């Protein structure tokens, strides 16, 4: 039973939910490599959905997108545009090959949609399009329609989908309706929902086409799991507070002259973006021949990349191959995975910067049915685990400047 009442209070809730959405990457010329990776992951989501527009009925299409977001994307490792190209290259363009790709991506028999996907990937590769901001910017130019005309014989029906996307901005009613249902807590029929969406776009001063594109993307991303960004913010706040307590206790017990501070990313970033918590000393003097730990970073990938969690400990000074092996052995003896250790900068003297990285299995999805007490318990366990990694690395690095015999005895540290 739908509720068509969209008087001011429901409209305000819809407007609030729209304002809380993270912005998409609007233009090429991205600010950082992380944003470039995120833009590629967002493009994969959009193109995989776009290929399903040739067409199945809405319920089947949304079920296929849900399967991709919840299962296939992470299992197949499709985090970038190149990953998607590589997957398609593994299977021949045949009935059997296309059927297998369809089963992998969408969990259904849909060879015609795989053929559409191959054409989309070919078309974008021909014009060197690899991330979402670049794609959307190109669609707004006359060169895009010219490219479509030149490729019409090859693209066929896919050209119609591409032209429709460029003209409409993916004002996709199915995604807008799904968003309105989530924001309002009940189903709303199409007419009132689209009128409310139009009014909200005007109130925000954003073109309806741009806002619809944003809603469609984040609704696709949200299909991976029933995630509550507000609870994730609580999780990160608890992690930061627990880290602050652990660090204060450890530095006090060690009578250390270093004062470490814990800095948490802004709330808006913690909801959807690549963000997290950083642990750094307030002041430090690097002594020659004495490697030291200089930072700990516990961070989440962006929502479009699945919110995977990773830990990075940074330091300065050179670590010998023997000592790196001792570090790996010490972590494994403590029941942890050994770090991936690499030099980010190794130019001259003892100012080399190294990075020890762990890709943790957890992803920071927080489902709606998770109790706040469980969120806090999970956060405290994570902070304790991060502290253990930090203490182990600090202790092992402190041994790096000592005689080799000390390194050999590190297993008992």
């Amino acid at each position: 039973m739908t509720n068509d009442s969209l008087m001011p209070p429901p409209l305000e809730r819809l407007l609030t939910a729209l304002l809380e959405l993270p912005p998409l990457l609007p233009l090429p010329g991205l600010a950082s490599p992380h944003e470039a990776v995120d833009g590629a992951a967002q493009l994969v989501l959009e193109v995989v959905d776009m290929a399903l527009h040739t067409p199945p009925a809405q319920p089947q299409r949304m079920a296929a997108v849900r399967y991709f977001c919840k299962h296939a994307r992470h299992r197949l490792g499709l985090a970038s545009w190149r990953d998607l190209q590589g997957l398609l290259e593994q299977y021949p363009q045949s009935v059997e090959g296309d059927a297998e790709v369809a089963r992998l991506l969408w969990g259904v028999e849909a060879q015609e949609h795989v053929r559409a996907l191959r054409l989309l990937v070919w078309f974008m590769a021909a014009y060197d399009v690899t991330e979402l901001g670049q794609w959307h910017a190109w669609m707004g130019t006359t060169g895009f329609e010219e490219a479509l005309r030149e490729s019409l014989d090859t693209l066929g029906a896919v050209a119609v989908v591409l032209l429709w996307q460029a003209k409409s901005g993916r004002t996709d009613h199915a995604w807008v309706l799904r968003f309105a249902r989530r924001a309002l807590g009940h189903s709303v029929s199409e007419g009132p929902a689209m009128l409310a969406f139009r009014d909200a776009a005007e109130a925000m001063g954003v073109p309806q086409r741009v806002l619809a594109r944003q809603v469609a993307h984040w609704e696709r991303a949200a299909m991976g799991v029933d995630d509550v960004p507000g609870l994730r913010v609580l999780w990160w706040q608890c992690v930061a507070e627990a880290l602050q307590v652990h660090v204060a206790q450890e530095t006090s017990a060690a009578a250390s002259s270093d004062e470490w501070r814990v800095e948490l990313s802004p709330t808006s970033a913690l909801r959807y973006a690549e963000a997290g918590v950083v642990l750094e000393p307030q002041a430090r003097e690097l002594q020659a021949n004495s490697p030291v730990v200089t930072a700990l970073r516990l961070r989440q990938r962006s929502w479009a990349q699945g919110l995977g969690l990773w830990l990075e400990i940074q330091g300065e000074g050179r670590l010998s191959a023997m000592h790196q092996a001792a570090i790996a052995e010490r972590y494994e003896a403590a029941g942890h995975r050994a770090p991936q250790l690499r030099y980010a900068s190794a130019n001259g003297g003892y100012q080399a910067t190294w990075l020890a990285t762990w890709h943790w299995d957890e992803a920071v999805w927080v489902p709606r049915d998770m109790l706040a007490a469980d969120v806090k318990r999970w956060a405290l366990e994570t902070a304790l685990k991060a502290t253990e990694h930090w203490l182990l690395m600090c202790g092992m690095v402190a041994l790096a400047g000592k005689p080799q015999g000390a390194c050999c005895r590190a297993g008992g540290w």
Side-chain angles (χ1 to χ4, degrees), residues 184-203:
L184 300 176
H186 58 76
S187 296
V188 182
S189 60
E190 183 173 328
M194 297 308 296
L195 289 174
F197 181 77
R198 181 201 63 189
D199 293 344
E202 291 178 358

Side-chain angles (χ1 to χ4, degrees), residues 12-36:
E12 288 176 7
R13 293 205 303 275
L14 185 67
L15 179 59
T16 299
L18 288 167
L19 288 170
E20 288 179 345
L21 285 174
L24 290 181
L25 301 172
L27 296 170
L30 301 169
S32 74
H34 295 305
E35 287 181 336

Side-chain angles (χ1 to χ4, degrees), residues 302-327:
S302 77
W303 203 24
Q305 297 178 64
L307 288 170
L309 200 63
W310 56 277
L311 175 71
E312 180 181 86
I313 296 178
Q314 177 180 312
E316 293 182 9
R318 294 186 178 275
L319 301 173
S320 69
M322 181 181 295
H323 199 76
Q324 291 183 38
I327 290 172

Side-chain angles (χ1 to χ4, degrees), residues 25 33-42 45 69 73-74 78-80 217-218 221 272-274 300-310 363 365:
L25 301 172
H34 295 305
E35 287 181 336
V37 172
D38 193 28
Q42 291 179 356
L45 270 179
C69 292
R73 178 174 50 165
H74 305 297
L78 299 179
S80 73
H217 171 73
W218 290 115
Y272 299 104
E274 182 165 319
Q300 68 189 20
R301 299 296 185 191
S302 77
W303 203 24
Q305 297 178 64
L307 288 170
L309 200 63
W310 56 277
W365 294 109

Side-chain angles (χ1 to χ4, degrees), residues 66-79:
R66 183 181 296 109
Y67 181 90
F68 174 78
C69 292
K70 192 168 184 179
H71 303 291
R73 178 174 50 165
H74 305 297
R75 187 182 67 246
L76 300 173
L78 299 179

Side-chain angles (χ1 to χ4, degrees), residues 226 228 231-232 234-235 364-379 381:
D226 184 17
V228 182
L231 286 177
R232 182 162 54 259
L234 172 65
W235 185 88
V364 198
W365 294 109
V366 185
R368 191 171 303 278
D369 59 357
M370 194 171 192
L371 299 175
D374 293 331
V375 173
K376 293 178 181 179
R377 188 179 302 110
W378 175 23
E381 291 171 354

Side-chain angles (χ1 to χ4, degrees), residues 255-279:
S256 172
S257 59
D258 284 336
E259 293 184 7
W260 291 72
R261 61 184 172 85
V262 176
E263 182 177 341
L264 186 63
S265 296
T267 297
S268 57
L270 295 172
R271 293 176 64 85
Y272 299 104
E274 182 165 319
V277 64
V278 178
L279 173 65

